[in-house]
Amino acid sequence: MILVLKSKATDEQIDALIKELAAIGVNVVKIEGAEKSILGLVGNTAQVDSDHLMAQDFVESVKRVSEPYKNANRKFHPEDSIIQVCDKTVGGLDFTMIAGPCSVECEDQIMTVAREVKKSGATMLRGGAFKPRTSPYAFQGLHGAGIDLLLQAKKETGLPIVTEIMSLAHIEMFRDVDVIQVGARNMQNFELLKVLGQCDKPILLKRGLANTIEEFLMSAEYIMAGGNNNVILCERGIRTFETMTRNTLDLAAVSLIKQKSHLPIIVDPSHATGLIDLILPMSLASIACGADGLAIEVHNNPKVALSDGAQSLTPKQFEEMMAPIKAQVKFSGKNL
Amino acid sequence: MILVLKSKATDEQIDALIKELAAIGVNVVKIEGAEKSILGLVGNTAQVDSDHLMAQDFVESVKRVSEPYKNANRKFHPEDSIIQVCDKTVGGLDFTMIAGPCSVECEDQIMTVAREVKKSGATMLRGGAFKPRTSPYAFQGLHGAGIDLLLQAKKETGLPIVTEIMSLAHIEMFRDVDVIQVGARNMQNFELLKVLGQCDKPILLKRGLANTIEEFLMSAEYIMAGGNNNVILCERGIRTFETMTRNTLDLAAVSLIKQKSHLPIIVDPSHATGLIDLILPMSLASIACGADGLAIEVHNNPKVALSDGAQSLTPKQFEEMMAPIKAQVKFSGKNL
Amino acid sequence: MILVLKSKATDEQIDALIKELAAIGVNVVKIEGAEKSILGLVGNTAQVDSDHLMAQDFVESVKRVSEPYKNANRKFHPEDSIIQVCDKTVGGLDFTMIAGPCSVECEDQIMTVAREVKKSGATMLRGGAFKPRTSPYAFQGLHGAGIDLLLQAKKETGLPIVTEIMSLAHIEMFRDVDVIQVGARNMQNFELLKVLGQCDKPILLKRGLANTIEEFLMSAEYIMAGGNNNVILCERGIRTFETMTRNTLDLAAVSLIKQKSHLPIIVDPSHATGLIDLILPMSLASIACGADGLAIEVHNNPKVALSDGAQSLTPKQFEEMMAPIKAQVKFSGKNL
Amino acid sequence: MILVLKSKATDEQIDALIKELAAIGVNVVKIEGAEKSILGLVGNTAQVDSDHLMAQDFVESVKRVSEPYKNANRKFHPEDSIIQVCDKTVGGLDFTMIAGPCSVECEDQIMTVAREVKKSGATMLRGGAFKPRTSPYAFQGLHGAGIDLLLQAKKETGLPIVTEIMSLAHIEMFRDVDVIQVGARNMQNFELLKVLGQCDKPILLKRGLANTIEEFLMSAEYIMAGGNNNVILCERGIRTFETMTRNTLDLAAVSLIKQKSHLPIIVDPSHATGLIDLILPMSLASIACGADGLAIEVHNNPKVALSDGAQSLTPKQFEEMMAPIKAQVKFSGKNL
């Protein structure tokens, strides 16, 4: 940990700080520069609060040298984490293909989509029962009934189900869900993350619209700090100035996270781009750069979808796309 | 509402859509262009779901002509909303000055700060009992005990208290709180907003780090749709590429929201800039462009603050700042 | 072209505008909505200036239905453009591999790198003779002498050379250069683009740090409007809030531009990420999503590079990377 | 200057670097941490190239402790710079009001606007003769004839003229111009900045759409490094995800630059917001937070303006706005 001091810092101030840090076992090395001095902190700096140091009015900046995440850090867990989901595994050499509608709308819809995507090679079924919508007047999901329909689809097809939780008040309803999704808007809903850290279900954590890679890993750390190591990350595009795509898919984040963390990471090209014609090329690119899976929206009749129809594939389009996707997965050395 | 059709749209497709819309009382006017045709939708288009239209594969884009928010819209409520908070009012000609520490830490701290900021002219006391921290290992607040300390400070000073809620599981603890704050990270925690829409307490809604002005107003709409019209907005900076300031304070949003909405809006220059030396100039700028109030972090001893010490003023700095702030408020025609 | 009118628009104002537009052969269809009216403009709207329409104080917004670029538009030129560069072609089924140092530094450096990258399979040699540096005190390039060294490397290896122009005052020095590069900072240096539009050399146009896809294509249009259709686009990352990578590589832009335009587009993963460990995965992703080539920084001794050493590969690292790159190119159906 | 080393750094590598730096008079202090070591560089580090250090493969990150700009730095020039423009001064206690049309269009237009804005209190006349337009098909300005018309307006009104240069090829035409403007798109057109550094005319340097505060000051440094200290900065909004305003006006940058640099800085609320109704509130906010002036677009007939009509005021609107602007300038302790 490095502190750059303001030029006005006095010896008394510096000595007092050194003494304070020594008391918690942190040694300080001082470097006097031409304009400003620098303090290097050595020892167990994980317990030192950057905010506290920044609050000293003679400190100009604080820079951590070590990453602030431990459980999610590949340094302390060099091999890939493999997450068990029913009879499937996420991470490692297995490639995960999650498919399904944005929202669960009715029995016919979800059963049709589930059968179709299973036939085309999907390994899990997604579908929203609780939907985060910008407008209070838009369709908000079928709630408990939606989860029941997903479970019915699982029963028939055997596909594990993935569905989003929006409030810890609903946690009981997710008892039989296989993977609980935390949406982008809740990535820093820390109270929700804490609760999910206390269950042992796999959590699919989506990156927030404006969250850095480090914040993303720190949110995984929240879940893991509670004892739940079954975290699957999901890159789904970040918000930038570009308006032609819905978001900007950050594939470099996928490769970088594979290097920094042992957690599996999948990509959601449907939300990332919002454009059907980009789903296949972004899927191929995701596989090529090391993603552990994909989550793709498929609707039996996108024209009447109650949400996100514009970016949903038909089962037929999904089936056609699966051929090049499977080929690329195989080429990249993974199994689907 | 305007639909731009793809050049491949067939007459059959267009006719089917026109018939469907007619069934819900929406009339369609068709304009045939050189390359593409356009449909203009007239009538009660609030009930038309853009997503549904975008999902038609012959539709290229959908543009709403009317704002999607109703309750928050100045068009339907031309006069400024005035929110009553104990014996104070927010909005209109009264200028609100909220001050206090980032986190409530102990009795001595909050009582000292409360007395001091009251003496300098603050009209409400802020302080976090539940703190959203990026790291699970950082101080998370005193929770219920923190709220009790705020209530004690209110009892002595008479200042109404403002404090952040992070989970609807805690709502009971906020029974006696005067203004419930929704933080930036929870601006789109829709389930929380719905619950807050069902109480009648004033809500201080902070803009999300990467949320547009329209999304901000739609989140206010969530609360108002539940029946609670006591919404106070708060601009606290958005996330951009600039790293020298903590966030980028968007003052144009303040003026624009004053034009688009009747709700009061205040500014938090402490979180927006993260730099003590910018708090006064940004406060003056906020007042000059029409903000209804300010929220400023003050700590009796920023050096030992458990969070955000670097951007907290001492009571003395706050007192000195209040002179130019009061002068600008008066110059801008408001009362403090 | 669609105009949404403010609710206060009067019939006189609307009629005057309709008459004005009729005079230039543009027909107007008026749709009266509940709150606001809409005008649809039909005919040759390319000659209508949006700014002029927006300036009418009864106009709320203007939306173009057709793309503002013509020469770069795939709609009017459905087949891929193939750009001839000496005995190589860019676009179509040929994959272009540009490699070389950020800056040309001395004869030994450029000759060594040229020989090595040629051996590993590069098809063109890059190297900066004029360098845009944020600091006036940093190395600015060898200028004319740098170009001479590139030409010498070309003579020996046969590799066509790509180098950046920073000022139209230097255009004479680029007489024998094979591909003239326009850097990100000059993407909207319109006077430079106009001059380049009047030569017939291939231009490698890099996307600006904060420029939209549409602006990028409009800058290509500037060059093409002057008569030079030999434009090669280059995605090199955009500026966002993320700081762990140098820029955010926007691969969706690559696929989208392939759909919207017939021009070839390559990717520069070195500048996009700034991190050596991301160059290979981002190269593979670029190929998988349809890029026509790559531009990669290679330096014989990155440790002593005068610029951008941190993101430069050694010739050995480049050679090792070429094996998986060639395999992915072949898998994706292209030739390298 | 601080270097964080990778954990794999060997003693040999570190010693070699220390020796190399010693040779140029830079001393190195080494701090061995638990995971990683840190090197602190002391001495004249301005001559050390960060890129060169980053290129060592055992270096993880490099952090400069001192600002990289010298001439623009308030630390070495504590008092405000005052720039003389004909009989006016920019900076210090004088407030500068630049007004005029986006583009010079014809004699009648520029003469009318010049007379009107002078009458209302403008202190300089702006008008574009060379216009950077996204589309090659849009009006590009009157060029030399435009400058002649500005000079004619100056002759009659006595107002110094400000106009934008887009290419160093045109520099001769700017012989009699009082202030040469460098537009946002050319903020990092370094070759142009170098040429302007060799004249002694005041330069109005606008911040680029996606440039940081530090890059902005480094571009000023380019001009000053050539010997021309007459630099006036201009904040005009940065590009963010918000689309309701044309750009996001960054007023915190104005206050921060006043602290970091001695150069005067003005604000352009017309380009920053793109909305007439925001020009007055953003002008007042700019004055309140310490801006040294404003640049506002005024057109005698915005409805027929050839560019940017939508954000131009009429002379009457400008006149009405000048009353509250003058009052705020006086209240903020400056003279207009």
Side-chain angles (χ1 to χ4, degrees):
Chain A
M1 209 166 185
I2 302 167
L3 272 65
V4 179
L5 306 183
K6 293 184 183 165
S7 46
K8 64 171 186 183
T10 65
D11 286 346
E12 288 70 37
Q13 290 173 315
I14 299 172
D15 290 347
L17 184 62
I18 290 175
K19 209 169 288 176
E20 183 191 332
L21 290 165
I24 54 168
V26 173
N27 290 322
V28 180
V29 181
K30 184 175 162 192
I31 302 172
E32 298 202 35
E35 286 173 33
K36 297 169 188 176
S37 293
I38 296 163
L39 301 186
L41 275 54
V42 184
N44 180 10
T45 55
Q47 58 182 320
V48 179
D49 190 333
S50 306
D51 280 345
H52 170 68
L53 295 177
M54 270 306 284
Q56 314 303 315
D57 67 358
F58 59 96
V59 173
E60 185 175 289
S61 67
V62 175
K63 183 182 164 78
R64 262 191 197 283
V65 170
S66 313
E67 289 92 357
Y69 44 91
K70 303 276 164 203
N71 293 300
N73 200 327
R74 189 179 279 276
K75 198 179 292 165
F76 309 117
H77 188 301
E79 67 283 10
D80 285 347
S81 273
I82 313 269
I83 316 284
Q84 192 76 33
V85 180
C86 303
D87 61 334
K88 309 279 194 298
T89 55
V90 180
L93 291 180
D94 285 337
F95 194 84
T96 302
M97 175 56 75
I98 305 172
C102 178
S103 304
V104 179
E105 293 167 12
C106 66
E107 182 177 341
D108 179 52
Q109 174 234 27
I110 191 68
M111 296 307 291
T112 306
V113 173
R115 280 178 213 123
E116 297 274 358
V117 300
K118 159 110 196 216
K119 209 171 58 187
S120 300
T123 60
M124 295 192 204
L125 178 67
R126 55 152 293 158
F130 294 88
K131 295 303 305 171
R133 303 297 299 274
T134 304
S135 167
Y137 312 121
F139 175 63
Q140 310 266 328
L142 294 182
H143 300 181
I147 294 182
D148 291 342
L149 289 174
L150 284 168
L151 290 170
Q152 186 183 330
K154 177 187 176 182
K155 202 166 169 190
E156 185 183 318
T157 61
L159 293 176
I161 59 172
V162 184
T163 193
E164 179 170 352
I165 192 165
M166 281 179 63
S167 168
L168 43 81
H170 305 144
I171 188 101
E172 271 308 302
M173 295 192 214
F174 286 72
R175 208 176 329 108
D176 300 320
V177 165
D178 301 302
V179 179
I180 302 180
Q181 177 178 315
V182 176
R185 287 170 189 77
N186 281 312
M187 193 202 88
Q188 292 195 316
N189 183 340
F190 300 120
E191 295 298 315
L192 180 59
L193 300 181
K194 283 181 198 169
V195 170
L196 296 176
Q198 275 147 25
C199 74
D200 61 355
K201 273 193 197 304
I203 309 299
L204 181 67
L205 178 67
K206 298 188 106 175
R207 182 178 181 186
L209 276 80
N211 288 110
T212 62
I213 293 169
E214 187 170 294
E215 288 170 344
F216 191 16
L217 290 172
M218 287 307 285
S219 284
E221 189 79 12
Y222 254 95
I223 299 169
M224 300 173 89
N228 185 354
N229 289 316
N230 298 312
V231 180
I232 305 163
L233 302 169
C234 180
E235 160 65 28
R236 43 79 73 213
I238 56 173
R239 191 164 264 190
T240 69
F241 61 83
E242 179 60 63
T243 55
M244 221 181 259
T245 47
R246 186 166 166 166
N247 293 290
T248 296
L249 180 59
D250 183 8
L251 286 182
V254 173
S255 297
L256 194 52
I257 285 172
K258 293 296 294 176
Q259 294 168 15
K260 299 252 170 204
S261 176
H262 52 88
L263 297 173
I265 179 164
I266 68 167
V267 173
D268 175 347
S270 306
H271 281 91
T273 66
L275 295 170
I276 284 181
D277 291 342
L278 294 182
I279 294 177
L280 178 58
M282 289 305 101
S283 294
L284 299 178
S286 301
I287 302 163
C289 73
D292 294 296
L294 291 166
I296 292 183
E297 290 195 1
V298 180
H299 193 287
N300 59 327
N301 192 356
K303 287 197 294 185
V304 300
L306 294 178
S307 60
D308 277 351
Q311 68 196 29
S312 291
L313 303 177
T314 61
K316 191 167 165 41
Q317 288 171 318
F318 179 70
E319 185 194 1
E320 287 165 4
M321 226 169 252
M322 280 301 279
I325 284 176
K326 283 176 182 166
Q328 178 74 50
V329 167
K330 195 175 163 194
F331 175 78
S332 295
K334 293 202 174 164
N335 314 311
L336 169 61
Chain B
M1 210 165 185
I2 303 167
L3 273 65
V4 179
L5 305 183
K6 293 183 184 166
S7 46
K8 64 172 186 183
T10 65
D11 286 347
E12 289 70 36
Q13 291 174 313
I14 299 172
D15 289 347
L17 183 62
I18 290 175
K19 208 169 289 175
E20 183 191 331
L21 290 165
I24 53 167
V26 173
N27 289 322
V28 180
V29 181
K30 183 175 163 192
I31 302 171
E32 299 202 36
E35 286 173 32
K36 297 169 187 175
S37 292
I38 297 164
L39 301 186
L41 275 54
V42 184
N44 179 10
T45 55
Q47 59 182 318
V48 179
D49 190 334
S50 306
D51 280 345
H52 170 68
L53 295 176
M54 270 306 285
Q56 315 302 316
D57 68 357
F58 60 95
V59 173
E60 184 174 287
S61 67
V62 175
K63 183 183 164 78
R64 261 191 197 283
V65 170
S66 312
E67 289 93 356
Y69 45 91
K70 301 279 164 204
N71 294 299
N73 200 327
R74 190 178 279 277
K75 199 179 290 164
F76 309 118
H77 189 301
E79 67 283 8
D80 284 347
S81 273
I82 313 269
I83 317 285
Q84 193 75 33
V85 180
C86 304
D87 60 335
K88 308 279 194 296
T89 55
V90 180
L93 292 180
D94 286 337
F95 193 84
T96 302
M97 174 55 75
I98 304 172
C102 179
S103 304
V104 180
E105 293 167 12
C106 66
E107 182 178 339
D108 179 52
Q109 173 233 27
I110 192 68
M111 295 308 291
T112 305
V113 172
R115 280 178 213 122
E116 297 273 0
V117 300
K118 159 110 196 214
K119 209 170 58 187
S120 301
T123 60
M124 294 192 204
L125 177 68
R126 56 152 292 159
F130 294 88
K131 295 304 305 172
R133 303 298 298 273
T134 304
S135 166
Y137 312 122
F139 175 63
Q140 311 264 329
L142 294 181
H143 300 182
I147 294 182
D148 290 343
L149 288 174
L150 285 168
L151 290 170
Q152 185 182 329
K154 177 187 176 183
K155 202 166 170 191
E156 186 184 317
T157 61
L159 292 176
I161 59 173
V162 184
T163 194
E164 179 170 352
I165 193 165
M166 281 180 63
S167 168
L168 42 81
H170 304 145
I171 188 100
E172 271 309 302
M173 296 193 215
F174 286 73
R175 208 177 328 107
D176 300 320
V177 164
D178 301 303
V179 179
I180 302 180
Q181 178 179 313
V182 176
R185 287 170 189 77
N186 280 313
M187 193 202 90
Q188 292 195 317
N189 182 340
F190 300 121
E191 295 298 315
L192 180 60
L193 299 181
K194 283 181 198 169
V195 169
L196 296 175
Q198 275 148 25
C199 74
D200 60 356
K201 271 193 198 304
I203 308 299
L204 181 66
L205 178 68
K206 298 188 106 175
R207 182 179 180 186
L209 275 81
N211 288 110
T212 62
I213 293 169
E214 188 171 295
E215 288 170 344
F216 190 16
L217 290 172
M218 287 308 285
S219 284
E221 189 79 11
Y222 254 95
I223 299 169
M224 299 173 90
N228 184 354
N229 289 317
N230 298 310
V231 180
I232 304 163
L233 303 169
C234 180
E235 160 65 28
R236 43 80 71 212
I238 56 174
R239 191 164 263 190
T240 70
F241 62 82
E242 179 60 63
T243 56
M244 221 182 259
T245 47
R246 186 166 167 168
N247 293 290
T248 296
L249 180 60
D250 184 6
L251 286 182
V254 173
S255 297
L256 194 52
I257 284 173
K258 293 295 295 175
Q259 293 167 16
K260 299 251 170 205
S261 176
H262 52 89
L263 296 173
I265 179 163
I266 68 167
V267 173
D268 175 348
S270 306
H271 282 90
T273 67
L275 295 171
I276 284 183
D277 292 342
L278 294 182
I279 295 177
L280 178 57
M282 289 305 102
S283 293
L284 299 178
S286 300
I287 302 164
C289 74
D292 293 297
L294 291 166
I296 292 183
E297 289 195 3
V298 180
H299 193 287
N300 59 327
N301 191 356
K303 289 196 294 184
V304 300
L306 294 177
S307 61
D308 277 350
Q311 68 196 30
S312 291
L313 302 178
T314 61
K316 192 169 162 43
Q317 288 172 318
F318 179 69
E319 185 193 0
E320 286 165 6
M321 227 170 251
M322 281 300 281
I325 285 176
K326 283 177 183 166
Q328 178 74 50
V329 167
K330 195 176 164 194
F331 175 78
S332 295
K334 293 202 174 165
N335 313 312
L336 169 58
Chain C
M1 209 164 186
I2 302 167
L3 272 65
V4 179
L5 305 184
K6 293 183 182 165
S7 47
K8 64 173 188 183
T10 65
D11 287 347
E12 289 69 37
Q13 290 173 314
I14 299 172
D15 289 347
L17 183 63
I18 291 175
K19 207 169 288 175
E20 183 191 332
L21 289 165
I24 54 168
V26 172
N27 289 322
V28 179
V29 181
K30 184 175 161 191
I31 302 172
E32 298 202 35
E35 287 172 33
K36 298 169 188 175
S37 293
I38 297 163
L39 301 186
L41 275 54
V42 184
N44 179 9
T45 55
Q47 58 183 319
V48 178
D49 190 333
S50 306
D51 280 344
H52 170 68
L53 295 176
M54 270 305 285
Q56 315 302 316
D57 67 358
F58 59 96
V59 173
E60 184 174 287
S61 67
V62 175
K63 185 183 162 76
R64 261 191 197 283
V65 171
S66 313
E67 289 93 356
Y69 45 90
K70 302 278 164 204
N71 294 298
N73 201 327
R74 189 178 279 275
K75 198 178 292 164
F76 308 118
H77 188 301
E79 66 284 6
D80 285 347
S81 272
I82 313 270
I83 316 285
Q84 191 76 34
V85 179
C86 303
D87 60 335
K88 309 280 194 295
T89 55
V90 180
L93 292 179
D94 286 337
F95 193 83
T96 302
M97 175 56 74
I98 304 173
C102 178
S103 304
V104 179
E105 294 167 12
C106 66
E107 182 177 341
D108 179 51
Q109 173 235 28
I110 192 67
M111 296 306 292
T112 305
V113 173
R115 279 177 212 123
E116 297 273 0
V117 299
K118 160 113 196 211
K119 209 170 59 187
S120 301
T123 59
M124 293 192 205
L125 177 68
R126 55 152 291 157
F130 294 88
K131 295 302 305 171
R133 303 298 298 275
T134 304
S135 166
Y137 311 121
F139 175 62
Q140 310 265 327
L142 293 182
H143 299 182
I147 294 182
D148 290 343
L149 289 174
L150 284 168
L151 291 170
Q152 185 183 329
K154 176 187 178 182
K155 203 167 169 189
E156 185 184 317
T157 61
L159 293 175
I161 59 173
V162 184
T163 194
E164 178 172 352
I165 192 165
M166 282 180 61
S167 167
L168 44 79
H170 305 144
I171 188 100
E172 271 308 302
M173 295 192 215
F174 286 72
R175 208 179 325 108
D176 299 319
V177 165
D178 301 303
V179 178
I180 301 180
Q181 177 179 316
V182 177
R185 287 171 188 76
N186 281 311
M187 193 202 90
Q188 291 196 318
N189 181 340
F190 299 121
E191 295 299 315
L192 179 60
L193 300 181
K194 283 181 198 169
V195 168
L196 297 175
Q198 275 147 26
C199 74
D200 61 356
K201 272 193 198 305
I203 308 299
L204 181 67
L205 179 67
K206 297 189 107 174
R207 183 177 179 187
L209 275 81
N211 288 109
T212 62
I213 293 169
E214 187 170 295
E215 288 170 344
F216 190 16
L217 290 172
M218 287 307 285
S219 283
E221 189 79 12
Y222 254 95
I223 300 169
M224 299 173 90
N228 183 356
N229 289 317
N230 298 311
V231 180
I232 303 163
L233 302 170
C234 179
E235 160 64 29
R236 42 80 71 211
I238 56 173
R239 190 165 264 188
T240 70
F241 61 82
E242 179 59 65
T243 55
M244 221 181 259
T245 47
R246 186 166 167 165
N247 294 288
T248 297
L249 179 60
D250 183 7
L251 285 182
V254 173
S255 297
L256 194 51
I257 284 172
K258 292 297 294 177
Q259 293 168 17
K260 299 252 168 205
S261 176
H262 52 88
L263 295 173
I265 178 163
I266 69 168
V267 173
D268 175 348
S270 307
H271 282 89
T273 66
L275 296 169
I276 284 182
D277 291 342
L278 294 181
I279 294 178
L280 178 58
M282 290 305 102
S283 293
L284 299 179
S286 301
I287 301 163
C289 74
D292 294 296
L294 291 165
I296 292 182
E297 289 196 4
V298 180
H299 194 287
N300 58 327
N301 192 356
K303 290 198 293 184
V304 301
L306 294 177
S307 61
D308 277 349
Q311 69 195 31
S312 291
L313 303 177
T314 60
K316 191 167 165 41
Q317 288 171 318
F318 179 69
E319 185 193 0
E320 287 165 6
M321 226 170 253
M322 281 299 281
I325 285 176
K326 282 176 183 166
Q328 178 73 51
V329 168
K330 195 175 163 194
F331 176 78
S332 295
K334 294 203 174 165
N335 314 310
L336 169 59
Chain D
M1 210 165 183
I2 301 167
L3 272 66
V4 179
L5 305 183
K6 293 184 183 165
S7 47
K8 65 172 187 184
T10 65
D11 286 347
E12 288 70 37
Q13 290 174 314
I14 299 172
D15 289 347
L17 184 62
I18 290 175
K19 208 169 287 176
E20 183 192 331
L21 289 165
I24 54 167
V26 173
N27 289 323
V28 179
V29 181
K30 184 176 162 189
I31 302 173
E32 298 203 36
E35 288 173 32
K36 297 169 188 176
S37 294
I38 297 163
L39 301 186
L41 275 55
V42 184
N44 180 10
T45 55
Q47 58 183 320
V48 179
D49 190 334
S50 307
D51 280 345
H52 170 68
L53 295 176
M54 271 304 286
Q56 314 303 316
D57 67 358
F58 59 97
V59 173
E60 185 174 286
S61 67
V62 176
K63 183 182 163 78
R64 259 190 200 283
V65 171
S66 312
E67 289 93 356
Y69 44 91
K70 302 277 164 203
N71 294 298
N73 200 327
R74 189 178 279 275
K75 199 179 291 165
F76 309 118
H77 187 303
E79 67 282 10
D80 285 347
S81 273
I82 313 271
I83 316 285
Q84 192 75 33
V85 180
C86 304
D87 61 335
K88 309 280 194 296
T89 55
V90 180
L93 292 179
D94 286 337
F95 193 84
T96 302
M97 174 56 74
I98 304 173
C102 178
S103 304
V104 179
E105 293 168 11
C106 66
E107 182 177 340
D108 179 52
Q109 173 234 27
I110 193 67
M111 296 307 291
T112 305
V113 173
R115 279 177 214 124
E116 296 273 1
V117 299
K118 159 113 196 213
K119 209 170 58 186
S120 301
T123 59
M124 294 193 205
L125 177 67
R126 56 152 291 157
F130 294 89
K131 295 303 306 171
R133 303 299 298 275
T134 303
S135 166
Y137 311 122
F139 175 64
Q140 310 264 329
L142 295 181
H143 299 183
I147 294 182
D148 290 343
L149 288 174
L150 284 168
L151 290 170
Q152 185 183 328
K154 177 188 177 182
K155 203 167 168 188
E156 184 184 317
T157 61
L159 292 175
I161 59 173
V162 184
T163 194
E164 178 171 352
I165 192 165
M166 283 179 61
S167 167
L168 44 79
H170 305 145
I171 188 101
E172 271 309 301
M173 295 193 216
F174 285 72
R175 208 176 328 106
D176 300 319
V177 165
D178 301 303
V179 179
I180 301 180
Q181 177 179 314
V182 176
R185 287 170 188 77
N186 280 312
M187 192 202 88
Q188 291 196 315
N189 182 340
F190 300 120
E191 295 298 315
L192 179 60
L193 300 181
K194 283 181 197 169
V195 169
L196 297 175
Q198 275 148 24
C199 74
D200 60 358
K201 272 193 198 305
I203 308 298
L204 181 67
L205 178 68
K206 298 189 107 176
R207 183 178 180 186
L209 274 81
N211 288 109
T212 62
I213 293 169
E214 186 169 295
E215 288 170 343
F216 191 16
L217 290 172
M218 287 307 285
S219 284
E221 189 80 11
Y222 254 95
I223 299 170
M224 299 173 90
N228 184 355
N229 290 316
N230 299 310
V231 179
I232 304 163
L233 303 169
C234 180
E235 160 65 29
R236 43 78 73 211
I238 56 174
R239 190 164 264 188
T240 70
F241 60 82
E242 178 60 64
T243 55
M244 220 182 259
T245 47
R246 185 166 167 167
N247 293 290
T248 296
L249 180 59
D250 183 6
L251 285 182
V254 173
S255 297
L256 194 51
I257 285 173
K258 292 297 293 177
Q259 293 168 16
K260 298 252 170 204
S261 175
H262 52 87
L263 296 173
I265 179 163
I266 69 167
V267 173
D268 175 348
S270 307
H271 282 89
T273 67
L275 295 170
I276 284 182
D277 291 341
L278 294 181
I279 294 177
L280 179 58
M282 289 305 102
S283 294
L284 299 178
S286 301
I287 302 164
C289 74
D292 293 297
L294 291 165
I296 292 182
E297 289 196 2
V298 180
H299 194 286
N300 58 328
N301 191 357
K303 291 198 292 184
V304 300
L306 295 177
S307 61
D308 278 349
Q311 68 195 31
S312 292
L313 303 177
T314 61
K316 192 168 162 41
Q317 288 171 317
F318 179 69
E319 185 194 0
E320 287 165 5
M321 227 169 252
M322 280 300 279
I325 284 176
K326 282 176 183 167
Q328 178 74 51
V329 168
K330 196 176 163 194
F331 175 77
S332 295
K334 293 202 175 164
N335 314 310
L336 169 59

